[in-house]
Amino acid sequence: MPDQSRHTYDDFNELGHFEVDPSAVQLLSQAFCRRHEVVILGKIEDNRAAEVMLGVIDDHDYSLGQLVGQRLERPVKMVQLNRFEINKVIEQTWPVAQPRPQRSAHQIRLDSAKPGPEAKPAELVDDLLLHALAKGASDIHIESYPGDVDVRLRVDGVLRQLPTLLSPDNLPAVINRIKVMAKLDITERRAPQDGRFRVDVVEGPKERAVDFRVSMLPGLVGEDAVLRILDSGKSLLSIERLGMPREPAEELRRLVANPEGLVLVSGPTGSGKTTTLYASLLELQCSTRKVVTAEDPIEYFIPKLNQKQTSAQVSMADLTRAFLRQDPDVILVGEIRDEETALAAAQAATTGHLVLSTLHTNDALGAIPRLRGLGLSDDILADAILGCLNQRLIRRVCADCKESTAATDDQRRLFGDFLDDIELVKGAGCESCFGSGYRGRVGLFEFLLFDETLQDLLSSGMPVADLRQVLKENNHRTLIEDGLEKVQDGTTSLEELLRVVPLRAVLAQLR
């Protein structure tokens, strides 16, 4: 007899990532699996008394479980899946010839020959895109000056000059080529324009799609272009892989499991807020919760999440209010940037929904004056907000050229006793890090949980300066403390820490 207790795929793994053994699945015929909409999950043990995990649509259909158990001559435990998941396993086990997906309008090969001085605009653009992808850049900056053109790539958050064949003579044609790819108006040279295009990047037998978000800005001598690279080939990170210390990671995971309330991720532009939100969404992928997102723009598509993009006709606040009529459990608001969106997010958070969003603030407590400035009262704030994670991205010292270094006089005056008995490191520069001394980035995090005590102080209207003093007296862990630990363990350098964290935050911590 099948196990009659209710089970879901959450019992053994995340949505879409359950363990499938093709040889076990094939113990049932393809026709049987398709007809009855069932699949075998996991491995089959040699012990015939061991249960077989059976994915089914209706886990109360005990006659089906009994039928499979008789065929396999084993006990069966039924696990509820939906039709999409069952068909996914079936198609992976018995692939059906599918028509070749339509390619994007543009294709580039990583082994393409380097263009020469007489290269066409399309060849120059393709070469520029390939350079950026090879160096792991997040943005391409094309800047025009009187008699000169600069191309810089943002790698690990820092701009680096790129030798280029672009010049004042060929730049207009290159800009027009990018406009055509992004479906922009090539005759418009006096107003900003935004667009997007996709290319298929071919490397040997492999192929992947990469999206580029384009921003055009007119200037005195021509147009500047910035291309944001959204590489779908880069996998989304889980909370564990964000580099977050254990305690804030556990707190964040607990918060996103709440049925209602507002969870914020704050920090400056380029601090990885969106990555953290996506990591939080990965925690929420399950069949029992409806997740909807309002984004501007949608940077990465996550299967089976209801992702919506804002437009000139539909604002972030409009989407948030509309979501409330869609019976959601979780709402992601890409960014709270105006009073209308702040009020809509707070209303959703206090009416039985979990709301995830971002803010631009210097530290976690900075969310309070920011939301106060957007029109939220202290009572609403205290009722809605669960916690705020503030973060930065800091470069790692390159492991291939890491070496010991001594503190400068200025650093000794600033950090004093902290520098005693620790070994500082720097990157000498090598081929692996393109001579920068750094390769890859890791997060710095400050987590602020709005517990009952803090909520009471907030609802009483306590000024932010007094709230900050309360946190200090209670040994609240700050962003700079996380950074100093990463300096101490050799992950990063003091120079990089001072580049990323505002000096006033450093001074406030060291007082």
Side-chain angles (χ1 to χ4, degrees):
M1 285 291 292
D3 185 343
Q4 297 189 3
S5 60
R6 184 175 180 85
H7 299 272
T8 70
Y9 55 75
D10 297 315
D11 293 331
F12 54 94
N13 214 326
E14 294 178 349
L15 169 64
H17 295 82
F18 40 76
E19 184 182 9
V20 175
D21 182 352
S23 61
V25 177
Q26 292 172 5
L27 291 176
L28 297 175
S29 70
Q30 177 183 358
F32 182 91
C33 290
R34 289 187 182 278
R35 183 168 64 254
H36 296 283
E37 296 183 304
V38 298
V39 289
I40 295 175
L41 305 173
K43 297 182 180 296
I44 300 294
E45 299 181 19
D46 293 335
N47 179 12
R48 284 193 165 272
E51 289 181 318
V52 173
M53 298 281 281
L54 183 70
V56 298
I57 290 183
D58 181 4
D59 59 350
H60 290 101
D61 188 352
Y62 303 121
S63 61
L64 177 58
Q66 189 172 29
L67 175 62
V68 174
Q70 290 172 349
R71 280 180 172 249
L72 299 177
E73 297 181 348
R74 292 169 180 267
V76 169
K77 174 185 286 187
M78 293 195 294
V79 177
Q80 185 182 39
L81 302 179
N82 60 39
R83 187 167 282 108
F84 171 87
E85 291 152 350
I86 289 177
N87 287 335
K88 179 180 176 182
V89 175
I90 292 174
E91 296 302 333
Q92 288 174 344
T93 307
W94 296 283
V96 177
Q98 298 288 340
R100 184 176 179 83
Q102 185 177 3
R103 292 178 178 271
S104 68
H106 315 287
Q107 186 182 86
I108 55 178
R109 301 187 63 89
L110 289 180
D111 56 359
S112 299
K114 187 173 180 60
E118 303 302 320
K120 297 178 181 178
E123 296 173 326
L124 293 173
V125 172
D126 287 354
D127 184 61
L128 180 58
L129 301 183
L130 287 173
H131 267 94
L133 291 170
K135 293 184 181 294
S138 61
D139 301 86
I140 304 170
H141 291 246
I142 304 174
E143 301 163 334
S144 57
Y145 301 98
D148 192 15
V149 174
D150 268 357
V151 176
R152 296 190 289 173
L153 305 180
R154 189 174 295 280
V155 180
D156 292 336
V158 177
L159 287 173
R160 300 182 188 174
Q161 198 79 24
L162 179 70
T164 177
L165 294 174
L166 270 61
S167 68
D169 293 331
N170 62 27
L171 180 61
V174 168
I175 291 293
N176 280 346
R177 169 62 179 172
I178 295 173
K179 285 183 175 181
V180 169
M181 295 172 71
K183 296 181 172 58
L184 301 179
D185 184 357
I186 63 173
T187 65
E188 178 58 76
R189 299 183 180 89
R190 293 184 294 180
Q193 296 189 74
D194 296 316
R196 189 174 182 136
F197 65 87
R198 170 174 291 186
V199 299
D200 292 323
V201 181
V202 180
E203 183 177 10
K206 297 181 180 180
E207 184 176 318
R208 73 181 192 273
V210 179
D211 290 312
F212 292 82
R213 203 168 74 223
V214 179
S215 173
M216 292 288 178
L217 185 66
L220 291 176
V221 295
E223 291 179 276
D224 291 349
V226 175
L227 284 68
R228 168 62 58 88
I229 302 172
L230 305 172
D231 191 347
S232 60
K234 296 180 179 178
S235 59
L236 295 174
L237 299 180
S238 62
I239 288 180
E240 290 84 356
R241 294 180 59 200
L242 292 175
M244 199 180 302
R246 182 181 59 82
E247 187 174 344
E250 291 177 353
E251 291 287 359
L252 178 60
R253 188 174 286 106
R254 277 195 287 269
L255 288 193
V256 299
N258 269 271
E260 64 179 5
L262 178 62
V263 179
L264 297 170
V265 180
S266 69
T269 300
S271 60
K273 299 187 297 296
T274 301
T275 300
T276 299
L277 282 184
Y278 279 126
S280 301
L281 287 181
L282 291 178
E283 293 281 321
L284 297 169
Q285 287 193 13
C286 66
S287 64
T288 59
R289 305 179 85 181
K290 179 169 182 175
V291 183
V292 290
T293 76
E295 304 177 58
D296 181 23
I298 298 174
E299 295 195 9
Y300 295 98
F301 291 92
I302 301 178
K304 303 184 72 175
L305 288 189
N306 294 278
Q307 295 174 268
K308 310 300 180 186
Q309 184 164 310
T310 63
S311 65
Q313 293 75 33
V314 183
S315 68
M316 197 81 72
D318 292 334
L319 279 175
T320 305
R321 285 192 294 267
F323 286 161
L324 297 179
R325 297 188 291 274
Q326 292 287 307
D327 188 31
D329 297 290
V330 182
I331 299 173
L332 184 147
V333 179
E335 181 185 343
I336 297 177
R337 62 180 70 156
D338 55 53
E339 181 175 352
E340 199 177 5
T341 305
L343 290 171
Q347 179 187 5
T350 54
T351 54
H353 309 86
L354 178 68
V355 179
L356 310 178
S357 192
T358 69
L359 278 176
H360 286 273
T361 67
N362 289 325
D363 59 13
L365 190 59
I368 297 307
R370 174 75 175 135
L371 292 173
R372 282 172 172 170
L374 291 175
L376 296 188
S377 68
D378 289 330
D379 286 341
I380 292 177
L381 275 174
D383 192 26
I385 193 165
L386 297 177
C388 181
L389 179 74
N390 186 261
Q391 65 181 64
R392 303 287 192 283
L393 289 176
I394 194 166
R395 292 182 294 172
R396 294 177 181 268
V397 173
C398 176
D400 292 340
C401 61
K402 181 186 291 188
E403 62 182 25
S404 299
T405 187
T408 65
D409 291 340
D410 286 343
Q411 289 170 348
R412 290 200 172 277
R413 280 193 292 270
L414 180 60
F415 290 97
D417 295 342
F418 169 76
L419 298 181
D420 294 341
D421 303 322
I422 71 168
E423 181 182 5
L424 299 178
V425 297
K426 69 173 184 177
C430 65
E431 186 176 344
S432 297
C433 61
F434 304 105
S436 69
Y438 298 94
R439 186 174 60 179
R441 291 189 289 178
V442 66
L444 299 184
F445 300 97
E446 175 196 3
F447 185 82
L448 179 57
L449 177 67
F450 283 80
D451 57 17
E452 188 174 345
T453 299
L454 200 55
Q455 286 176 326
D456 288 343
L457 295 176
L458 180 57
S459 62
S460 70
M462 178 178 282
V464 173
D466 293 341
L467 288 171
R468 203 177 301 279
Q469 184 60 36
V470 170
L471 294 180
K472 190 170 184 178
E473 292 170 356
N474 285 275
N475 298 316
H476 170 67
R477 180 184 171 86
T478 63
L479 194 75
I480 187 65
E481 286 180 276
D482 190 26
L484 290 173
E485 279 194 11
K486 288 181 169 64
V487 170
Q488 193 167 9
D489 64 21
T491 299
T492 191
S493 66
L494 272 182
E495 291 84 359
E496 178 67 3
L497 179 64
L498 291 172
R499 183 188 71 84
V500 171
V501 180
L503 181 60
R504 62 178 176 274
V506 177
L507 295 174
Q509 176 63 35
L510 297 176
R511 286 195 189 107

